[in-house]
Amino acid sequence: MTEVLLTEVVLRDGLQDEPITVPAHEKVRLARGLVDAGVRSLEVGSFVSARRVPQMADTGEVLRTLLDVPAILHTLVFTERGARQAIDAGATSVRLVVSASDGHSAANAGVPTDAALDRLAGCAALLTEAGVAIEASVATAFVCPFDGDTDPDRTADVAARLGRLGARVVHLADTIGAARPGQLRATVAAVRDELPDVPLGLHLHNTYGRAAANAWEGLTLGIRRFDSALGGLGGCPFAPGASGNVATDDLVDFFHREGIATGIDVAKLAELRDQVGLAVGHRLDSALAAIPAVPAALR
């Protein structure tokens, strides 16, 4: 049976664009519930400016409190200062993030892509010296809200530079949920030409309703790592038009019905999804959240 690894990103990507800040103790409670449901990989926050993203100001506290859970805990880092904070908090796995497009890089990181990559070189050196595992995420890998479609060769070049910094996995992010399966196929092929030995992952948003199609396309291309957020929560505060991530509950249900193993309990996810909705103060947008009860014939 084919098996995939889902990284739950609701605690980072899901909460970073919410108008309220969920307390650290509530994030920890949700994280422990997710691990109990079978989630083996979690993004628990990002070490970024508390002024620009106040929802992530408690990432160090959340990470320290969760170091005992039997799961991979990821935090995002953009600067050397963030890398030092991650190391001090006990991080064992960090994702370096850079945008493939200059327009989004300027909005998200404050500098063009080349400068952001140069800055990440210092981060990678610090993390490597500290023995922290490095993964990488390429934002706007397919489409940018400012620059339009991203050339596959551009994404491949950025991914290759991240590989040279020591990234053991490179995740390609459809930041605004506008990618198409054919576009995804071309970009994955270009990246694999540059990084044939580095596993790839997909970080999909569902703005235009294409996330499931793109996930399936990724599966056919041999990708076995996917990011998702419970209930479809999320968005990027620096990417106009971005909406929620592909929903973990929907993706797990979809994969299971196609014989793809995730190790995650869908029933437990439903309970946790309702808790997330209470924490943020609104209903979540996953397809399963809109169904009062799954018909018995489909259970």
Side-chain angles (χ1 to χ4, degrees):
M1 176 181 285
T2 300
E3 184 174 357
V4 298
L5 176 66
L6 265 59
T7 295
E8 175 56 66
V9 301
V10 70
L11 297 177
R12 197 275 306 173
D13 199 345
L15 297 180
Q16 70 179 7
D17 205 28
E18 287 295 308
I20 67 168
T21 299
V22 176
H25 67 84
E26 181 65 15
K27 293 178 183 178
V28 168
R29 188 178 70 82
L30 289 169
R32 293 190 184 281
L34 287 162
V35 173
D36 179 65
V39 173
R40 293 172 289 152
S41 179
L42 286 154
E43 271 189 12
V44 299
S46 55
F47 290 100
V48 293
S49 166
R51 178 183 58 80
R52 297 189 78 201
V53 192
Q55 298 88 340
M56 296 293 104
D58 58 6
T59 293
E61 177 185 354
V62 173
L63 177 60
R64 290 186 191 94
T65 309
L66 289 171
L67 289 176
D68 64 316
V69 301
I72 303 167
L73 304 179
H74 304 282
T75 53
L76 266 59
V77 163
F78 293 83
T79 64
E80 289 187 28
R81 180 173 182 270
R84 291 190 181 93
Q85 290 176 319
I87 293 166
D88 291 345
T92 58
S93 182
V94 160
R95 286 185 176 183
L96 303 179
V97 184
V98 67
S99 305
S101 60
D102 283 329
H104 186 258
S105 185
N108 196 47
V111 294
T113 300
D114 282 345
L117 282 163
D118 290 342
R119 193 161 65 188
L120 288 181
C123 298
L126 288 170
L127 294 166
T128 300
E129 184 179 359
V132 178
I134 298 173
E135 296 191 2
S137 291
V138 182
T140 59
F142 310 101
V143 186
C144 171
F146 307 102
D147 301 344
D149 286 355
T150 304
D151 189 298
D153 289 338
R154 166 80 171 191
T155 297
D157 178 66
V158 171
R161 290 181 65 178
L162 290 167
R164 291 194 290 272
L165 293 181
R168 64 179 188 178
V169 180
V170 173
H171 305 267
L172 305 177
D174 182 17
T175 305
I176 62 170
R180 308 172 301 280
Q183 189 177 28
L184 186 146
R185 191 182 317 121
T187 299
V188 168
V191 172
R192 281 193 168 140
D193 282 346
E194 293 290 337
L195 289 175
D197 300 321
V198 176
L200 301 182
L202 289 176
H203 178 100
L204 301 173
H205 285 244
N206 199 39
T207 311
Y208 294 90
R210 299 173 191 150
N214 286 330
W216 189 254
E217 184 65 29
L219 276 172
T220 66
L221 295 171
I223 290 175
R224 298 293 181 263
R225 292 168 171 81
F226 298 87
D227 291 352
S228 59
L230 192 57
L233 194 67
C236 176
F238 309 108
S243 68
N245 293 270
V246 60
T248 305
D249 39 330
D250 291 347
L251 194 59
V252 170
D253 179 68
F254 174 52
F255 280 164
H256 286 185
R257 293 181 188 281
E258 290 295 332
I260 310 297
T262 68
I264 299 173
D265 186 318
V266 178
K268 289 184 177 180
L269 285 183
E271 297 175 12
L272 290 164
R273 181 190 62 224
D274 293 341
Q275 294 174 26
V276 172
L278 289 172
V280 298
H282 62 81
R283 182 175 177 147
L284 304 187
D285 294 330
S286 65
L288 290 186
I291 301 173
V294 176
L298 297 180
R299 291 175 193 164

